[in-house]
Amino acid sequence: MRIAALADLHFSPQSYDRIRDVMTRLRDEADLLILAGDLTNLGKTEEMESMLASLMRIRIPIVAVLGNHDYEGGKQEELSKMMTTEGVKVLDGSGYEREGIGFAGTKGFLGGFGRGVLTAFGEPEVKAFVQSSLDETLKLERALSMLRTEKRVVITHYAPVVDTVRGEPEQIFPYLGSGRLAEVIDRHQAIFAVHGHAHHGALEGKTTGGIPVYNVAMPLLMARTPPAPYRLFDV
Ligand SMILES: [Fe+2]
Ligand SMILES: [Fe+2]
């Protein structure tokens, strides 16, 4: 199976033409498309509506997670429903299997990496924040446990490793992802993980357990030479 992956389309009606061209090319190149969050720019239903209009032309299975921008308008459930109605598999702590490949996805959360991981200590606000990070980790764990396939691919919006956020200002690393996600990826021996969110990060990294992690944020992919709006994987 040839999988195409991208994230951070930040779709607005103004970007319709650009995205439509990308989608037309993609149809001939891939068997399945992964969208790793920030599909809309401000989480508006109009943005999702026009994005779906251009997406549906590709007629290949689409597996997606939402990103923080999709939450911005407080309409994340409505956006999910719109996608599901069009046949997109929206993963939120859930899995999807196709042709022997399992996909486990969740949005993920921020919180830092390695020794910089924020812990639940002190004020209730800090504990609530850390709990959100732990909840997303547990959702990924649940999604992976549900898959019966030998090959499993992980999809998050936030980064699971620090490697793929390098390139961004170091001060904001803790807001770009959570190392807790990588522990789950290692435990379940995924074949690889994809994420977005760090628009100016690095293309590739690895978990401590050696599992490849790919940042498929579209602005990052487009900054390559030659620019390519998505990344292809043969599994
Ligand atoms: Fe983004
Ligand atoms: Fe994001």
Side-chain angles (χ1 to χ4, degrees):
M1 185 192 290
R2 177 163 271 199
I3 298 171
L6 73 145
D8 302 276
L9 284 85
H10 290 264
F11 199 94
S12 66
Q14 293 88 316
S15 53
Y16 184 85
D17 287 340
R18 186 169 54 97
I19 302 287
R20 190 189 50 199
D21 294 344
V22 170
M23 295 304 167
T24 312
R25 253 182 62 198
L26 215 153
R27 181 178 48 195
D28 304 322
E29 286 195 330
D31 306 309
L32 181 140
L33 170 64
I34 291 175
L35 294 172
D38 280 1
L39 314 178
T40 62
N41 197 32
L42 296 169
K44 293 181 178 173
T45 49
E46 308 89 270
E47 293 172 341
M48 181 56 81
E49 212 168 85
S50 39
M51 194 204 66
L52 285 171
S54 62
L55 264 191
M56 286 310 119
R57 303 162 59 92
I58 66 170
R59 294 191 188 88
I60 58 172
I62 302 169
V63 187
V65 299
L66 295 184
N68 56 319
H69 278 251
D70 305 313
Y71 275 68
E72 172 59 18
K75 294 196 172 130
Q76 57 277 9
E77 275 161 36
E78 207 176 327
L79 299 185
S80 271
K81 207 176 277 173
M82 288 170 76
M83 295 169 83
T84 307
T85 305
E86 292 295 340
V88 177
K89 306 290 171 212
V90 183
L91 303 184
D92 181 19
S94 48
Y96 171 64
E97 293 177 7
R98 190 173 180 98
E99 292 171 34
I101 314 288
F103 301 87
T106 198
K107 174 178 63 64
F109 200 62
L110 41 158
F113 305 94
R115 289 172 63 191
V117 170
L118 187 65
T119 52
F121 183 87
E123 299 91 321
E125 292 83 356
V126 174
K127 288 176 180 161
F129 180 91
V130 171
Q131 191 56 50
S132 300
S133 196
L134 289 169
D135 288 347
E136 282 295 315
T137 310
L138 288 172
K139 279 163 74 178
L140 183 60
E141 178 92 53
R142 191 180 63 199
L144 278 160
S145 313
M146 273 167 16
L147 296 174
R148 291 152 304 172
T149 54
E150 204 177 301
K151 289 181 173 174
R152 292 176 296 267
V153 174
V154 166
I155 311 164
T156 57
H157 178 61
Y158 286 92
V161 293
V162 75
D163 295 5
T164 47
V165 309
R166 290 192 202 284
E168 296 276 4
E170 208 167 326
Q171 295 92 323
I172 68 164
F173 281 10
Y175 310 130
L176 297 174
S178 162
R180 288 191 170 100
L181 296 165
E183 292 167 24
V184 181
I185 294 169
D186 277 344
R187 207 161 32 245
H188 286 267
Q189 291 289 294
I191 50 172
F192 66 89
V194 294
H195 71 87
H197 192 55
H199 293 198
H200 306 287
L203 290 165
E204 296 180 20
K206 268 189 173 38
T207 62
T208 322
I211 296 181
V213 177
Y214 301 99
N215 181 347
V216 293
M218 201 172 169
L220 183 65
L221 298 177
M222 291 302 281
R224 291 189 302 177
T225 28
Y230 47 85
R231 188 156 182 158
L232 293 168
F233 302 93
D234 286 308
V235 294

PDB file of all heavy atoms in Angstrom, residues 8 10 38 67-69 157 197 199, ligand 2:
ATOM      1  N   ASP A   8      -1.508  20.196   8.391  1.00  0.00           N
ATOM      2  CA  ASP A   8      -1.437  21.664   8.381  1.00  0.00           C
ATOM      3  C   ASP A   8      -1.791  22.281   7.031  1.00  0.00           C
ATOM      4  O   ASP A   8      -1.062  23.117   6.509  1.00  0.00           O
ATOM      5  CB  ASP A   8      -0.042  22.124   8.852  1.00  0.00           C
ATOM      6  CG  ASP A   8       0.283  21.607  10.229  1.00  0.00           C
ATOM      7  OD1 ASP A   8      -0.122  22.228  11.215  1.00  0.00           O
ATOM      8  OD2 ASP A   8       0.912  20.521  10.318  1.00  0.00           O
ATOM      9  N   HIS A  10      -4.389  24.101   6.839  1.00  0.00           N
ATOM     10  CA  HIS A  10      -4.927  25.408   7.267  1.00  0.00           C
ATOM     11  C   HIS A  10      -5.848  25.961   6.189  1.00  0.00           C
ATOM     12  O   HIS A  10      -5.691  27.087   5.729  1.00  0.00           O
ATOM     13  CB  HIS A  10      -3.800  26.388   7.594  1.00  0.00           C
ATOM     14  CG  HIS A  10      -3.067  26.020   8.842  1.00  0.00           C
ATOM     15  ND1 HIS A  10      -3.358  26.572  10.056  1.00  0.00           N
ATOM     16  CD2 HIS A  10      -2.078  25.120   9.064  1.00  0.00           C
ATOM     17  CE1 HIS A  10      -2.563  26.045  10.986  1.00  0.00           C
ATOM     18  NE2 HIS A  10      -1.788  25.158  10.409  1.00  0.00           N
ATOM     19  N   ASP A  38      -4.919  20.177  11.795  1.00  0.00           N
ATOM     20  CA  ASP A  38      -4.941  21.562  11.288  1.00  0.00           C
ATOM     21  C   ASP A  38      -5.401  21.560   9.830  1.00  0.00           C
ATOM     22  O   ASP A  38      -4.752  22.110   8.934  1.00  0.00           O
ATOM     23  CB  ASP A  38      -3.575  22.255  11.426  1.00  0.00           C
ATOM     24  CG  ASP A  38      -3.308  22.767  12.833  1.00  0.00           C
ATOM     25  OD1 ASP A  38      -4.176  22.566  13.707  1.00  0.00           O
ATOM     26  OD2 ASP A  38      -2.239  23.352  13.065  1.00  0.00           O
ATOM     27  N   GLY A  67      -6.470  18.942  14.500  1.00  0.00           N
ATOM     28  CA  GLY A  67      -5.380  19.677  15.132  1.00  0.00           C
ATOM     29  C   GLY A  67      -5.925  20.819  15.965  1.00  0.00           C
ATOM     30  O   GLY A  67      -7.137  21.053  15.993  1.00  0.00           O
ATOM     31  N   ASN A  68      -5.035  21.543  16.635  1.00  0.00           N
ATOM     32  CA  ASN A  68      -5.486  22.644  17.508  1.00  0.00           C
ATOM     33  C   ASN A  68      -6.257  23.713  16.743  1.00  0.00           C
ATOM     34  O   ASN A  68      -7.202  24.291  17.255  1.00  0.00           O
ATOM     35  CB  ASN A  68      -4.305  23.251  18.268  1.00  0.00           C
ATOM     36  CG  ASN A  68      -3.190  23.732  17.361  1.00  0.00           C
ATOM     37  OD1 ASN A  68      -2.846  23.074  16.383  1.00  0.00           O
ATOM     38  ND2 ASN A  68      -2.607  24.881  17.668  1.00  0.00           N
ATOM     39  N   HIS A  69      -5.886  23.968  15.500  1.00  0.00           N
ATOM     40  CA  HIS A  69      -6.617  24.985  14.721  1.00  0.00           C
ATOM     41  C   HIS A  69      -8.058  24.556  14.444  1.00  0.00           C
ATOM     42  O   HIS A  69      -8.937  25.402  14.325  1.00  0.00           O
ATOM     43  CB  HIS A  69      -5.895  25.282  13.397  1.00  0.00           C
ATOM     44  CG  HIS A  69      -4.778  26.260  13.567  1.00  0.00           C
ATOM     45  ND1 HIS A  69      -4.822  27.544  13.090  1.00  0.00           N
ATOM     46  CD2 HIS A  69      -3.590  26.142  14.211  1.00  0.00           C
ATOM     47  CE1 HIS A  69      -3.705  28.180  13.415  1.00  0.00           C
ATOM     48  NE2 HIS A  69      -2.937  27.343  14.084  1.00  0.00           N
ATOM     49  N   HIS A 157      -1.397  14.930  15.753  1.00  0.00           N
ATOM     50  CA  HIS A 157      -1.115  16.283  15.253  1.00  0.00           C
ATOM     51  C   HIS A 157       0.136  16.837  15.943  1.00  0.00           C
ATOM     52  O   HIS A 157       1.043  17.348  15.305  1.00  0.00           O
ATOM     53  CB  HIS A 157      -2.316  17.206  15.480  1.00  0.00           C
ATOM     54  CG  HIS A 157      -2.035  18.603  15.027  1.00  0.00           C
ATOM     55  ND1 HIS A 157      -1.722  18.895  13.709  1.00  0.00           N
ATOM     56  CD2 HIS A 157      -1.960  19.786  15.686  1.00  0.00           C
ATOM     57  CE1 HIS A 157      -1.488  20.198  13.591  1.00  0.00           C
ATOM     58  NE2 HIS A 157      -1.622  20.754  14.773  1.00  0.00           N
ATOM     59  N   HIS A 197       1.956  20.132  12.950  1.00  0.00           N
ATOM     60  CA  HIS A 197       1.987  21.187  13.964  1.00  0.00           C
ATOM     61  C   HIS A 197       3.270  22.011  13.979  1.00  0.00           C
ATOM     62  O   HIS A 197       3.205  23.220  14.120  1.00  0.00           O
ATOM     63  CB  HIS A 197       1.686  20.609  15.359  1.00  0.00           C
ATOM     64  CG  HIS A 197       1.428  21.638  16.397  1.00  0.00           C
ATOM     65  ND1 HIS A 197       0.450  22.622  16.255  1.00  0.00           N
ATOM     66  CD2 HIS A 197       2.021  21.871  17.607  1.00  0.00           C
ATOM     67  CE1 HIS A 197       0.467  23.394  17.338  1.00  0.00           C
ATOM     68  NE2 HIS A 197       1.392  22.972  18.158  1.00  0.00           N
ATOM     69  N   HIS A 199       5.483  23.628  12.008  1.00  0.00           N
ATOM     70  CA  HIS A 199       5.612  24.037  10.596  1.00  0.00           C
ATOM     71  C   HIS A 199       7.055  24.262  10.169  1.00  0.00           C
ATOM     72  O   HIS A 199       7.379  24.198   8.997  1.00  0.00           O
ATOM     73  CB  HIS A 199       4.851  25.347  10.353  1.00  0.00           C
ATOM     74  CG  HIS A 199       3.367  25.243  10.492  1.00  0.00           C
ATOM     75  ND1 HIS A 199       2.507  26.176   9.985  1.00  0.00           N
ATOM     76  CD2 HIS A 199       2.585  24.304  11.092  1.00  0.00           C
ATOM     77  CE1 HIS A 199       1.261  25.834  10.261  1.00  0.00           C
ATOM     78  NE2 HIS A 199       1.280  24.712  10.937  1.00  0.00           N
TER      79      HIS A 199
HETATM   80 FE    FE B   2      -1.202  22.889  14.972  1.00  0.00          FE
END
